Amino acid sequence: DPDLRRILIASAVVMAGIDMFQLYLPLHARAVGLSASVIGLILGAFAVAAFVVRAAIPILVQRFSEEILLLYAIFLAAATYVLFPLFTSGIVLGAVSFVLGLSLGLGQPLSTMLTYNYSPSGRAGESLGLRIAVNNFIHVAVPVEFGGIGSAFGLSPVFWVNSAFLAAGGYASRRRAQESVG
């Protein structure tokens, strides 16, 4: 099913974005000399944003469709990932992490909702199980691939390649989102 396939792709790139943040932001922050406490605060900014934006989902869905919100969230996350290697300040990295938390905090529940919505009749559990399987594959495969990139080229390219990965995922899921506007 093309709609379900696009949502599974979107879910996978959102999950990859979350995993890469949790794995590589602390490495970048440590490499630029930030303390463990500051790194914890930066990670906390992401978590607070994800919590806050989830409370706003009903309001956002009334104004925009789920597909449009998911598309915007993925492209905002892609744009945010470009910024991480450019900054060394804990405050700036915290602000960038907050924006990333807003975007990926939207992406996870929206992809779950859309997986359910696009499930074939009577097969919602199967579709949600497939989403979990895809996400678990991402938990294993993406860190290994990005670890290779980081080993070969350093930390900055990891963030930039992840940005491209998110943008490509947004592009792959955009068709349905554009159709829902028209």
Side-chain angles (χ1 to χ4, degrees):
D1 180 279
D3 289 328
L4 187 56
R5 182 178 55 240
R6 280 193 286 275
I7 299 308
L8 291 174
I9 290 168
S11 177
V13 298
V14 167
M15 191 56 55
I18 292 169
D19 286 349
M20 292 299 92
F21 174 77
Q22 292 172 341
L23 290 170
Y24 284 97
L25 183 275
L27 294 175
H28 169 67
R30 188 68 188 140
V32 298
L34 298 178
S35 69
S37 299
V38 172
I39 294 169
L41 290 171
I42 294 168
L43 293 171
F46 176 92
V48 166
F51 179 79
V52 167
V53 78
R54 288 176 186 193
I57 287 176
I59 296 165
L60 293 170
V61 167
Q62 285 179 349
R63 184 169 175 155
F64 307 100
S65 72
E66 289 99 343
E67 291 104 357
I68 293 294
L69 281 175
L70 183 57
L71 182 67
Y72 289 165
I74 290 170
F75 283 127
L76 178 60
T80 305
Y81 262 100
V82 171
L83 300 175
F84 281 110
L86 305 177
F87 299 105
T88 59
S89 164
I91 293 171
V92 175
L93 288 172
V96 173
S97 294
F98 187 85
V99 173
L100 184 65
L102 292 174
S103 62
L104 295 179
L106 267 178
Q108 211 171 13
L110 287 174
S111 66
T112 303
M113 289 169 33
L114 289 167
T115 300
Y116 179 82
N117 291 346
Y118 288 128
S119 297
S121 181
R123 297 178 73 184
E126 187 178 340
S127 298
L128 291 167
L130 182 59
R131 178 185 174 274
I132 291 169
V134 168
N135 287 350
N136 284 336
F137 174 77
I138 291 298
H139 285 310
V140 174
V142 171
V144 171
E145 295 299 320
F146 281 88
I149 292 168
S151 294
F153 304 107
L155 286 176
S156 294
V158 169
F159 288 97
W160 295 329
V161 170
N162 194 34
S163 174
F165 184 69
L166 283 159
Y171 182 80
S173 63
R174 83 183 183 351
R175 183 167 165 225
R176 178 68 185 161
Q178 287 179 340
E179 289 171 4
S180 69
V181 173

mmCIF file with all atom_site columns, all heavy atoms in Angstrom, residues 5-27:
data_model
loop_
_atom_site.group_PDB
_atom_site.id
_atom_site.type_symbol
_atom_site.label_atom_id
_atom_site.label_alt_id
_atom_site.label_comp_id
_atom_site.label_asym_id
_atom_site.label_entity_id
_atom_site.label_seq_id
_atom_site.pdbx_PDB_ins_code
_atom_site.Cartn_x
_atom_site.Cartn_y
_atom_site.Cartn_z
_atom_site.occupancy
_atom_site.B_iso_or_equiv
_atom_site.pdbx_formal_charge
_atom_site.auth_seq_id
_atom_site.auth_comp_id
_atom_site.auth_asym_id
_atom_site.auth_atom_id
_atom_site.pdbx_PDB_model_num
ATOM 1   N N   . ARG A 1 5  ? 3.309  2.613  3.029  1.00 0.00 ? 5  ARG A N   1
ATOM 2   C CA  . ARG A 1 5  ? 4.757  2.568  2.785  1.00 0.00 ? 5  ARG A CA  1
ATOM 3   C C   . ARG A 1 5  ? 5.396  3.934  3.063  1.00 0.00 ? 5  ARG A C   1
ATOM 4   O O   . ARG A 1 5  ? 6.435  4.023  3.714  1.00 0.00 ? 5  ARG A O   1
ATOM 5   C CB  . ARG A 1 5  ? 5.043  2.122  1.349  1.00 0.00 ? 5  ARG A CB  1
ATOM 6   C CG  . ARG A 1 5  ? 6.530  2.019  1.051  1.00 0.00 ? 5  ARG A CG  1
ATOM 7   C CD  . ARG A 1 5  ? 6.819  1.529  -0.364 1.00 0.00 ? 5  ARG A CD  1
ATOM 8   N NE  . ARG A 1 5  ? 6.161  2.341  -1.367 1.00 0.00 ? 5  ARG A NE  1
ATOM 9   C CZ  . ARG A 1 5  ? 5.260  1.877  -2.241 1.00 0.00 ? 5  ARG A CZ  1
ATOM 10  N NH1 . ARG A 1 5  ? 4.912  0.606  -2.236 1.00 0.00 ? 5  ARG A NH1 1
ATOM 11  N NH2 . ARG A 1 5  ? 4.715  2.694  -3.121 1.00 0.00 ? 5  ARG A NH2 1
ATOM 12  N N   . ARG A 1 6  ? 4.765  5.002  2.603  1.00 0.00 ? 6  ARG A N   1
ATOM 13  C CA  . ARG A 1 6  ? 5.314  6.351  2.858  1.00 0.00 ? 6  ARG A CA  1
ATOM 14  C C   . ARG A 1 6  ? 5.367  6.660  4.346  1.00 0.00 ? 6  ARG A C   1
ATOM 15  O O   . ARG A 1 6  ? 6.325  7.252  4.831  1.00 0.00 ? 6  ARG A O   1
ATOM 16  C CB  . ARG A 1 6  ? 4.490  7.400  2.119  1.00 0.00 ? 6  ARG A CB  1
ATOM 17  C CG  . ARG A 1 6  ? 4.829  7.517  0.662  1.00 0.00 ? 6  ARG A CG  1
ATOM 18  C CD  . ARG A 1 6  ? 4.219  8.769  0.053  1.00 0.00 ? 6  ARG A CD  1
ATOM 19  N NE  . ARG A 1 6  ? 2.781  8.662  -0.141 1.00 0.00 ? 6  ARG A NE  1
ATOM 20  C CZ  . ARG A 1 6  ? 2.207  8.111  -1.209 1.00 0.00 ? 6  ARG A CZ  1
ATOM 21  N NH1 . ARG A 1 6  ? 2.944  7.611  -2.163 1.00 0.00 ? 6  ARG A NH1 1
ATOM 22  N NH2 . ARG A 1 6  ? 0.906  8.076  -1.325 1.00 0.00 ? 6  ARG A NH2 1
ATOM 23  N N   . ILE A 1 7  ? 4.343  6.240  5.082  1.00 0.00 ? 7  ILE A N   1
ATOM 24  C CA  . ILE A 1 7  ? 4.324  6.502  6.521  1.00 0.00 ? 7  ILE A CA  1
ATOM 25  C C   . ILE A 1 7  ? 5.388  5.668  7.228  1.00 0.00 ? 7  ILE A C   1
ATOM 26  O O   . ILE A 1 7  ? 6.040  6.142  8.168  1.00 0.00 ? 7  ILE A O   1
ATOM 27  C CB  . ILE A 1 7  ? 2.918  6.250  7.105  1.00 0.00 ? 7  ILE A CB  1
ATOM 28  C CG1 . ILE A 1 7  ? 1.898  7.196  6.455  1.00 0.00 ? 7  ILE A CG1 1
ATOM 29  C CG2 . ILE A 1 7  ? 2.920  6.399  8.616  1.00 0.00 ? 7  ILE A CG2 1
ATOM 30  C CD1 . ILE A 1 7  ? 2.271  8.669  6.492  1.00 0.00 ? 7  ILE A CD1 1
ATOM 31  N N   . LEU A 1 8  ? 5.596  4.436  6.791  1.00 0.00 ? 8  LEU A N   1
ATOM 32  C CA  . LEU A 1 8  ? 6.644  3.614  7.395  1.00 0.00 ? 8  LEU A CA  1
ATOM 33  C C   . LEU A 1 8  ? 8.023  4.215  7.133  1.00 0.00 ? 8  LEU A C   1
ATOM 34  O O   . LEU A 1 8  ? 8.892  4.188  8.015  1.00 0.00 ? 8  LEU A O   1
ATOM 35  C CB  . LEU A 1 8  ? 6.564  2.179  6.881  1.00 0.00 ? 8  LEU A CB  1
ATOM 36  C CG  . LEU A 1 8  ? 5.348  1.379  7.344  1.00 0.00 ? 8  LEU A CG  1
ATOM 37  C CD1 . LEU A 1 8  ? 5.301  0.024  6.646  1.00 0.00 ? 8  LEU A CD1 1
ATOM 38  C CD2 . LEU A 1 8  ? 5.328  1.215  8.848  1.00 0.00 ? 8  LEU A CD2 1
ATOM 39  N N   . ILE A 1 9  ? 8.224  4.771  5.951  1.00 0.00 ? 9  ILE A N   1
ATOM 40  C CA  . ILE A 1 9  ? 9.489  5.452  5.649  1.00 0.00 ? 9  ILE A CA  1
ATOM 41  C C   . ILE A 1 9  ? 9.652  6.666  6.560  1.00 0.00 ? 9  ILE A C   1
ATOM 42  O O   . ILE A 1 9  ? 10.712 6.884  7.148  1.00 0.00 ? 9  ILE A O   1
ATOM 43  C CB  . ILE A 1 9  ? 9.553  5.857  4.160  1.00 0.00 ? 9  ILE A CB  1
ATOM 44  C CG1 . ILE A 1 9  ? 9.692  4.619  3.281  1.00 0.00 ? 9  ILE A CG1 1
ATOM 45  C CG2 . ILE A 1 9  ? 10.702 6.837  3.911  1.00 0.00 ? 9  ILE A CG2 1
ATOM 46  C CD1 . ILE A 1 9  ? 9.481  4.890  1.804  1.00 0.00 ? 9  ILE A CD1 1
ATOM 47  N N   . ALA A 1 10 ? 8.589  7.447  6.685  1.00 0.00 ? 10 ALA A N   1
ATOM 48  C CA  . ALA A 1 10 ? 8.650  8.626  7.551  1.00 0.00 ? 10 ALA A CA  1
ATOM 49  C C   . ALA A 1 10 ? 8.939  8.227  8.994  1.00 0.00 ? 10 ALA A C   1
ATOM 50  O O   . ALA A 1 10 ? 9.762  8.858  9.672  1.00 0.00 ? 10 ALA A O   1
ATOM 51  C CB  . ALA A 1 10 ? 7.340  9.413  7.467  1.00 0.00 ? 10 ALA A CB  1
ATOM 52  N N   . SER A 1 11 ? 8.292  7.182  9.465  1.00 0.00 ? 11 SER A N   1
ATOM 53  C CA  . SER A 1 11 ? 8.525  6.707  10.821 1.00 0.00 ? 11 SER A CA  1
ATOM 54  C C   . SER A 1 11 ? 9.974  6.283  11.009 1.00 0.00 ? 11 SER A C   1
ATOM 55  O O   . SER A 1 11 ? 10.594 6.586  12.040 1.00 0.00 ? 11 SER A O   1
ATOM 56  C CB  . SER A 1 11 ? 7.588  5.529  11.121 1.00 0.00 ? 11 SER A CB  1
ATOM 57  O OG  . SER A 1 11 ? 7.832  5.003  12.397 1.00 0.00 ? 11 SER A OG  1
ATOM 58  N N   . ALA A 1 12 ? 10.529 5.608  10.008 1.00 0.00 ? 12 ALA A N   1
ATOM 59  C CA  . ALA A 1 12 ? 11.915 5.148  10.097 1.00 0.00 ? 12 ALA A CA  1
ATOM 60  C C   . ALA A 1 12 ? 12.889 6.314  10.166 1.00 0.00 ? 12 ALA A C   1
ATOM 61  O O   . ALA A 1 12 ? 13.836 6.291  10.957 1.00 0.00 ? 12 ALA A O   1
ATOM 62  C CB  . ALA A 1 12 ? 12.243 4.248  8.899  1.00 0.00 ? 12 ALA A CB  1
ATOM 63  N N   . VAL A 1 13 ? 12.674 7.346  9.356  1.00 0.00 ? 13 VAL A N   1
ATOM 64  C CA  . VAL A 1 13 ? 13.624 8.468  9.392  1.00 0.00 ? 13 VAL A CA  1
ATOM 65  C C   . VAL A 1 13 ? 13.480 9.274  10.674 1.00 0.00 ? 13 VAL A C   1
ATOM 66  O O   . VAL A 1 13 ? 14.471 9.800  11.186 1.00 0.00 ? 13 VAL A O   1
ATOM 67  C CB  . VAL A 1 13 ? 13.556 9.362  8.124  1.00 0.00 ? 13 VAL A CB  1
ATOM 68  C CG1 . VAL A 1 13 ? 13.925 8.588  6.893  1.00 0.00 ? 13 VAL A CG1 1
ATOM 69  C CG2 . VAL A 1 13 ? 12.228 10.044 7.969  1.00 0.00 ? 13 VAL A CG2 1
ATOM 70  N N   . VAL A 1 14 ? 12.267 9.372  11.198 1.00 0.00 ? 14 VAL A N   1
ATOM 71  C CA  . VAL A 1 14 ? 12.087 10.041 12.495 1.00 0.00 ? 14 VAL A CA  1
ATOM 72  C C   . VAL A 1 14 ? 12.846 9.277  13.576 1.00 0.00 ? 14 VAL A C   1
ATOM 73  O O   . VAL A 1 14 ? 13.561 9.865  14.387 1.00 0.00 ? 14 VAL A O   1
ATOM 74  C CB  . VAL A 1 14 ? 10.587 10.181 12.844 1.00 0.00 ? 14 VAL A CB  1
ATOM 75  C CG1 . VAL A 1 14 ? 10.393 10.565 14.303 1.00 0.00 ? 14 VAL A CG1 1
ATOM 76  C CG2 . VAL A 1 14 ? 9.919  11.208 11.939 1.00 0.00 ? 14 VAL A CG2 1
ATOM 77  N N   . MET A 1 15 ? 12.703 7.952  13.569 1.00 0.00 ? 15 MET A N   1
ATOM 78  C CA  . MET A 1 15 ? 13.399 7.138  14.563 1.00 0.00 ? 15 MET A CA  1
ATOM 79  C C   . MET A 1 15 ? 14.914 7.273  14.406 1.00 0.00 ? 15 MET A C   1
ATOM 80  O O   . MET A 1 15 ? 15.645 7.363  15.399 1.00 0.00 ? 15 MET A O   1
ATOM 81  C CB  . MET A 1 15 ? 12.974 5.675  14.430 1.00 0.00 ? 15 MET A CB  1
ATOM 82  C CG  . MET A 1 15 ? 13.428 4.815  15.573 1.00 0.00 ? 15 MET A CG  1
ATOM 83  S SD  . MET A 1 15 ? 12.903 5.378  17.218 1.00 0.00 ? 15 MET A SD  1
ATOM 84  C CE  . MET A 1 15 ? 11.148 5.492  17.036 1.00 0.00 ? 15 MET A CE  1
ATOM 85  N N   . ALA A 1 16 ? 15.383 7.294  13.168 1.00 0.00 ? 16 ALA A N   1
ATOM 86  C CA  . ALA A 1 16 ? 16.821 7.479  12.930 1.00 0.00 ? 16 ALA A CA  1
ATOM 87  C C   . ALA A 1 16 ? 17.278 8.826  13.469 1.00 0.00 ? 16 ALA A C   1
ATOM 88  O O   . ALA A 1 16 ? 18.353 8.936  14.065 1.00 0.00 ? 16 ALA A O   1
ATOM 89  C CB  . ALA A 1 16 ? 17.135 7.361  11.445 1.00 0.00 ? 16 ALA A CB  1
ATOM 90  N N   . GLY A 1 17 ? 16.462 9.862  13.278 1.00 0.00 ? 17 GLY A N   1
ATOM 91  C CA  . GLY A 1 17 ? 16.808 11.180 13.794 1.00 0.00 ? 17 GLY A CA  1
ATOM 92  C C   . GLY A 1 17 ? 16.927 11.193 15.307 1.00 0.00 ? 17 GLY A C   1
ATOM 93  O O   . GLY A 1 17 ? 17.851 11.793 15.871 1.00 0.00 ? 17 GLY A O   1
ATOM 94  N N   . ILE A 1 18 ? 16.008 10.513 15.976 1.00 0.00 ? 18 ILE A N   1
ATOM 95  C CA  . ILE A 1 18 ? 16.058 10.441 17.435 1.00 0.00 ? 18 ILE A CA  1
ATOM 96  C C   . ILE A 1 18 ? 17.295 9.666  17.891 1.00 0.00 ? 18 ILE A C   1
ATOM 97  O O   . ILE A 1 18 ? 18.025 10.103 18.786 1.00 0.00 ? 18 ILE A O   1
ATOM 98  C CB  . ILE A 1 18 ? 14.766 9.800  17.985 1.00 0.00 ? 18 ILE A CB  1
ATOM 99  C CG1 . ILE A 1 18 ? 13.580 10.735 17.733 1.00 0.00 ? 18 ILE A CG1 1
ATOM 100 C CG2 . ILE A 1 18 ? 14.901 9.487  19.474 1.00 0.00 ? 18 ILE A CG2 1
ATOM 101 C CD1 . ILE A 1 18 ? 12.226 10.105 17.990 1.00 0.00 ? 18 ILE A CD1 1
ATOM 102 N N   . ASP A 1 19 ? 17.531 8.523  17.265 1.00 0.00 ? 19 ASP A N   1
ATOM 103 C CA  . ASP A 1 19 ? 18.690 7.709  17.644 1.00 0.00 ? 19 ASP A CA  1
ATOM 104 C C   . ASP A 1 19 ? 20.000 8.457  17.433 1.00 0.00 ? 19 ASP A C   1
ATOM 105 O O   . ASP A 1 19 ? 20.893 8.420  18.290 1.00 0.00 ? 19 ASP A O   1
ATOM 106 C CB  . ASP A 1 19 ? 18.725 6.409  16.842 1.00 0.00 ? 19 ASP A CB  1
ATOM 107 C CG  . ASP A 1 19 ? 17.691 5.402  17.302 1.00 0.00 ? 19 ASP A CG  1
ATOM 108 O OD1 . ASP A 1 19 ? 17.074 5.604  18.367 1.00 0.00 ? 19 ASP A OD1 1
ATOM 109 O OD2 . ASP A 1 19 ? 17.498 4.396  16.586 1.00 0.00 ? 19 ASP A OD2 1
ATOM 110 N N   . MET A 1 20 ? 20.116 9.128  16.309 1.00 0.00 ? 20 MET A N   1
ATOM 111 C CA  . MET A 1 20 ? 21.368 9.830  16.007 1.00 0.00 ? 20 MET A CA  1
ATOM 112 C C   . MET A 1 20 ? 21.598 10.987 16.971 1.00 0.00 ? 20 MET A C   1
ATOM 113 O O   . MET A 1 20 ? 22.725 11.254 17.365 1.00 0.00 ? 20 MET A O   1
ATOM 114 C CB  . MET A 1 20 ? 21.381 10.339 14.567 1.00 0.00 ? 20 MET A CB  1
ATOM 115 C CG  . MET A 1 20 ? 21.450 9.252  13.520 1.00 0.00 ? 20 MET A CG  1
ATOM 116 S SD  . MET A 1 20 ? 22.938 8.227  13.629 1.00 0.00 ? 20 MET A SD  1
ATOM 117 C CE  . MET A 1 20 ? 22.406 6.899  14.669 1.00 0.00 ? 20 MET A CE  1
ATOM 118 N N   . PHE A 1 21 ? 20.532 11.648 17.362 1.00 0.00 ? 21 PHE A N   1
ATOM 119 C CA  . PHE A 1 21 ? 20.670 12.722 18.348 1.00 0.00 ? 21 PHE A CA  1
ATOM 120 C C   . PHE A 1 21 ? 21.192 12.155 19.667 1.00 0.00 ? 21 PHE A C   1
ATOM 121 O O   . PHE A 1 21 ? 22.145 12.683 20.241 1.00 0.00 ? 21 PHE A O   1
ATOM 122 C CB  . PHE A 1 21 ? 19.332 13.426 18.568 1.00 0.00 ? 21 PHE A CB  1
ATOM 123 C CG  . PHE A 1 21 ? 19.375 14.434 19.678 1.00 0.00 ? 21 PHE A CG  1
ATOM 124 C CD1 . PHE A 1 21 ? 19.952 15.677 19.483 1.00 0.00 ? 21 PHE A CD1 1
ATOM 125 C CD2 . PHE A 1 21 ? 18.871 14.137 20.925 1.00 0.00 ? 21 PHE A CD2 1
ATOM 126 C CE1 . PHE A 1 21 ? 20.024 16.599 20.517 1.00 0.00 ? 21 PHE A CE1 1
ATOM 127 C CE2 . PHE A 1 21 ? 18.922 15.046 21.962 1.00 0.00 ? 21 PHE A CE2 1
ATOM 128 C CZ  . PHE A 1 21 ? 19.507 16.284 21.754 1.00 0.00 ? 21 PHE A CZ  1
ATOM 129 N N   . GLN A 1 22 ? 20.557 11.093 20.128 1.00 0.00 ? 22 GLN A N   1
ATOM 130 C CA  . GLN A 1 22 ? 20.941 10.518 21.417 1.00 0.00 ? 22 GLN A CA  1
ATOM 131 C C   . GLN A 1 22 ? 22.351 9.947  21.400 1.00 0.00 ? 22 GLN A C   1
ATOM 132 O O   . GLN A 1 22 ? 23.024 9.945  22.430 1.00 0.00 ? 22 GLN A O   1
ATOM 133 C CB  . GLN A 1 22 ? 19.939 9.442  21.822 1.00 0.00 ? 22 GLN A CB  1
ATOM 134 C CG  . GLN A 1 22 ? 18.579 10.011 22.139 1.00 0.00 ? 22 GLN A CG  1
ATOM 135 C CD  . GLN A 1 22 ? 17.516 8.946  22.358 1.00 0.00 ? 22 GLN A CD  1
ATOM 136 O OE1 . GLN A 1 22 ? 17.668 7.801  21.962 1.00 0.00 ? 22 GLN A OE1 1
ATOM 137 N NE2 . GLN A 1 22 ? 16.430 9.352  22.978 1.00 0.00 ? 22 GLN A NE2 1
ATOM 138 N N   . LEU A 1 23 ? 22.804 9.469  20.249 1.00 0.00 ? 23 LEU A N   1
ATOM 139 C CA  . LEU A 1 23 ? 24.144 8.891  20.162 1.00 0.00 ? 23 LEU A CA  1
ATOM 140 C C   . LEU A 1 23 ? 25.227 9.932  19.893 1.00 0.00 ? 23 LEU A C   1
ATOM 141 O O   . LEU A 1 23 ? 26.302 9.879  20.494 1.00 0.00 ? 23 LEU A O   1
ATOM 142 C CB  . LEU A 1 23 ? 24.189 7.838  19.059 1.00 0.00 ? 23 LEU A CB  1
ATOM 143 C CG  . LEU A 1 23 ? 23.428 6.549  19.322 1.00 0.00 ? 23 LEU A CG  1
ATOM 144 C CD1 . LEU A 1 23 ? 23.354 5.710  18.063 1.00 0.00 ? 23 LEU A CD1 1
ATOM 145 C CD2 . LEU A 1 23 ? 24.085 5.767  20.444 1.00 0.00 ? 23 LEU A CD2 1
ATOM 146 N N   . TYR A 1 24 ? 24.971 10.855 18.976 1.00 0.00 ? 24 TYR A N   1
ATOM 147 C CA  . TYR A 1 24 ? 26.045 11.713 18.479 1.00 0.00 ? 24 TYR A CA  1
ATOM 148 C C   . TYR A 1 24 ? 26.087 13.110 19.078 1.00 0.00 ? 24 TYR A C   1
ATOM 149 O O   . TYR A 1 24 ? 27.137 13.734 19.062 1.00 0.00 ? 24 TYR A O   1
ATOM 150 C CB  . TYR A 1 24 ? 26.012 11.779 16.945 1.00 0.00 ? 24 TYR A CB  1
ATOM 151 C CG  . TYR A 1 24 ? 26.556 10.509 16.359 1.00 0.00 ? 24 TYR A CG  1
ATOM 152 C CD1 . TYR A 1 24 ? 25.718 9.491  15.944 1.00 0.00 ? 24 TYR A CD1 1
ATOM 153 C CD2 . TYR A 1 24 ? 27.925 10.293 16.300 1.00 0.00 ? 24 TYR A CD2 1
ATOM 154 C CE1 . TYR A 1 24 ? 26.223 8.313  15.453 1.00 0.00 ? 24 TYR A CE1 1
ATOM 155 C CE2 . TYR A 1 24 ? 28.444 9.116  15.807 1.00 0.00 ? 24 TYR A CE2 1
ATOM 156 C CZ  . TYR A 1 24 ? 27.586 8.132  15.383 1.00 0.00 ? 24 TYR A CZ  1
ATOM 157 O OH  . TYR A 1 24 ? 28.101 6.963  14.900 1.00 0.00 ? 24 TYR A OH  1
ATOM 158 N N   . LEU A 1 25 ? 24.974 13.608 19.608 1.00 0.00 ? 25 LEU A N   1
ATOM 159 C CA  . LEU A 1 25 ? 25.045 14.918 20.258 1.00 0.00 ? 25 LEU A CA  1
ATOM 160 C C   . LEU A 1 25 ? 25.996 14.882 21.453 1.00 0.00 ? 25 LEU A C   1
ATOM 161 O O   . LEU A 1 25 ? 26.847 15.773 21.575 1.00 0.00 ? 25 LEU A O   1
ATOM 162 C CB  . LEU A 1 25 ? 23.650 15.410 20.646 1.00 0.00 ? 25 LEU A CB  1
ATOM 163 C CG  . LEU A 1 25 ? 23.610 16.809 21.265 1.00 0.00 ? 25 LEU A CG  1
ATOM 164 C CD1 . LEU A 1 25 ? 23.855 16.908 22.707 1.00 0.00 ? 25 LEU A CD1 1
ATOM 165 C CD2 . LEU A 1 25 ? 24.190 17.844 20.401 1.00 0.00 ? 25 LEU A CD2 1
ATOM 166 N N   . PRO A 1 26 ? 25.924 13.873 22.333 1.00 0.00 ? 26 PRO A N   1
ATOM 167 C CA  . PRO A 1 26 ? 26.887 13.845 23.441 1.00 0.00 ? 26 PRO A CA  1
ATOM 168 C C   . PRO A 1 26 ? 28.339 13.756 22.967 1.00 0.00 ? 26 PRO A C   1
ATOM 169 O O   . PRO A 1 26 ? 29.231 14.375 23.572 1.00 0.00 ? 26 PRO A O   1
ATOM 170 C CB  . PRO A 1 26 ? 26.490 12.599 24.235 1.00 0.00 ? 26 PRO A CB  1
ATOM 171 C CG  . PRO A 1 26 ? 25.049 12.396 23.931 1.00 0.00 ? 26 PRO A CG  1
ATOM 172 C CD  . PRO A 1 26 ? 24.896 12.826 22.497 1.00 0.00 ? 26 PRO A CD  1
ATOM 173 N N   . LEU A 1 27 ? 28.587 13.023 21.885 1.00 0.00 ? 27 LEU A N   1
ATOM 174 C CA  . LEU A 1 27 ? 29.952 12.936 21.365 1.00 0.00 ? 27 LEU A CA  1
ATOM 175 C C   . LEU A 1 27 ? 30.432 14.295 20.846 1.00 0.00 ? 27 LEU A C   1
ATOM 176 O O   . LEU A 1 27 ? 31.564 14.705 21.120 1.00 0.00 ? 27 LEU A O   1
ATOM 177 C CB  . LEU A 1 27 ? 30.031 11.894 20.246 1.00 0.00 ? 27 LEU A CB  1
ATOM 178 C CG  . LEU A 1 27 ? 29.780 10.448 20.657 1.00 0.00 ? 27 LEU A CG  1
ATOM 179 C CD1 . LEU A 1 27 ? 29.763 9.546  19.437 1.00 0.00 ? 27 LEU A CD1 1
ATOM 180 C CD2 . LEU A 1 27 ? 30.807 9.988  21.672 1.00 0.00 ? 27 LEU A CD2 1
#
